[in-house]
Amino acid sequence: MRKTVIAGNWKMNMTPSKTTEFIKALAPEVAAYNKADIVLCVPFVNIPAAVEAANGTNIAIGAENVHFEPKGAYTGEISAEMLVECGVKYAIVGHSERRQYFGETDETVNLRAKAAIASGLTAIICVGETLEMRESGITAEIVAIQTKKALAGISKEDLAKVIIAYEPVWAIGTGKVATTEQANEVCAIIRDVVAGLYDKASADELTIQYGGSMNAANAADLLAMSDVDGGLIGGASLKVADFTTIVKAAQ
Ligand code: 13P
C-alpha cells in the first residue's frame, strides 16, 4: 500500500529561531501519529535548526528546491549533496511559484528531480494547471505533459523516491480549494499517466498529494479520496494547531 505523506511547504517564511520553536511545539502533538509520513519543507537557512529540532521525532525535513548540478559556478544555488549532509530527506521540485517567478521549466524540473533522487532524496514533484488552462478544458493534458516530462529518464526503481503533488495553481494561496472530486480526478489522471509510463503496480505504489489551500477544515475530506495520498500544505503548515489537525486527518 502506498504511503500517505503530509508535507508542509513553508515557502519564504520563518527564521531559524522560529523554526526551532515551531518544531518543538509540533513534535509532541504529532508524536503518536504514525499512519502518515510527516515532512516540513523549510527555507535553506532554516534547515540546520529544523533538523536539530526534529531529531528523534517522527518529523522529517525537506528543502523547497534543489539544484541539478553537483557543484560549480551556480551562484545562489544549493546542491543535493549539501542538503543530504545537513540531514534533509525530501526536496520539493518544480513548485508553481518557481515555474512562475523563477523561470523553472519542465526540463529543469526533470533535471532537479533526477539530481535529488541520485543523492538519495525523495523528490516532491509539483504539477498543476492555471485557471486559464482549467477553463480551456486542458487540465488533463497539462498535468500529463508535466508529469511525463518531469519523470523522463527516471527508472521504475527510482519511482520509490518520487512523490507527485497535484497543485492547481488557482488554488494556491487563494483560499479557493479544489473540490474533493476535482482533486481526486486529477490525482487519478496522474496515476494513469504513471501507469502508462511504467506499469500499474508502480502507479499504485506512488504517493500523489493534493496541494492548494488545504487546511484544518477541509483536509479530512480531501485525504479521504481514493487517489489523494497526502497533502502539500502552504499557509496552514505555518500554524502548529492547523498542521496538527491535518496530520490527524490523515489517520
Ligand atoms: P497554500 O496551502 O498556502 O495554498 O499553498 C499550497 C502550496 O503551494 C504548497 O506547496
Side-chain angles (χ1 to χ4, degrees):
M1 255 321 273
R2 53 187 179 250
K3 273 191 268 180
T4 300
V5 181
I6 302 295
N9 172 12
W10 279 3
K11 310 192 179 184
M12 198 171 75
N13 290 292
M14 301 276 201
T15 61
S17 63
K18 285 180 182 159
T19 299
T20 303
E21 210 177 290
F22 184 97
I23 295 176
K24 295 268 183 221
L26 176 69
E29 299 294 332
V30 299
Y33 290 85
N34 55 12
K35 296 263 164 54
D37 288 358
I38 306 167
V39 183
L40 284 177
C41 298
V42 306
F44 289 131
V45 296
N46 297 357
I47 286 171
V51 169
E52 196 189 329
N55 186 26
T57 74
N58 57 344
I59 302 165
I61 302 305
E64 298 178 12
N65 192 17
V66 57
H67 198 254
F68 38 85
E69 291 295 340
K71 62 178 178 177
Y74 301 98
T75 303
E77 292 291 327
I78 298 288
S79 76
E81 186 190 7
M82 294 172 191
L83 296 174
V84 169
E85 191 172 318
C86 288
V88 167
K89 304 289 185 210
Y90 296 79
I92 297 174
V93 175
H95 191 279
S96 64
E97 286 149 16
R98 297 220 51 95
R99 294 179 191 254
Q100 190 179 347
Y101 306 131
F102 302 101
E104 200 77 64
T105 64
D106 287 332
E107 286 68 33
T108 56
V109 170
N110 173 244
L111 290 172
R112 288 181 202 273
K114 286 194 286 197
I117 294 165
S119 292
L121 295 168
T122 295
I124 303 177
I125 300 172
C126 302
V127 301
E129 81 288 2
T130 63
L131 185 59
E132 197 187 356
M133 292 164 178
R134 175 161 283 269
E135 286 174 346
S136 314
I138 56 170
T139 297
E141 286 85 347
I142 292 294
V143 297
I145 290 167
Q146 290 176 342
T147 302
K148 284 180 191 170
K149 289 193 167 181
L151 294 176
I154 294 175
S155 70
K156 194 165 98 173
E157 291 66 39
D158 281 344
L159 209 54
K161 286 287 188 187
V162 171
I163 291 171
I164 295 188
Y166 167 53
E167 297 210 310
V169 178
W170 49 270
I172 294 176
T174 57
K176 244 191 247 168
V177 65
T179 65
T180 51
E181 290 75 21
Q182 285 172 328
N184 202 50
E185 182 190 16
V186 181
C187 289
I189 289 169
I190 293 166
R191 203 178 304 286
D192 276 346
V193 169
V194 173
L197 291 173
Y198 300 88
D199 52 41
K200 187 169 181 310
S202 306
D204 283 343
E205 288 293 307
L206 180 70
T207 296
I208 303 180
Q209 299 171 316
Y210 168 78
S213 299
M214 187 184 275
N215 59 35
N218 61 30
D221 289 341
L222 286 160
L223 295 170
M225 302 306 284
S226 57
D227 279 289
V228 178
D229 312 317
L232 187 56
I233 300 119
S237 74
L238 295 165
K239 295 179 194 124
V240 171
D242 291 9
F243 194 64
T244 300
T245 302
I246 296 171
V247 168
K248 291 181 180 178
Q251 301 304 304

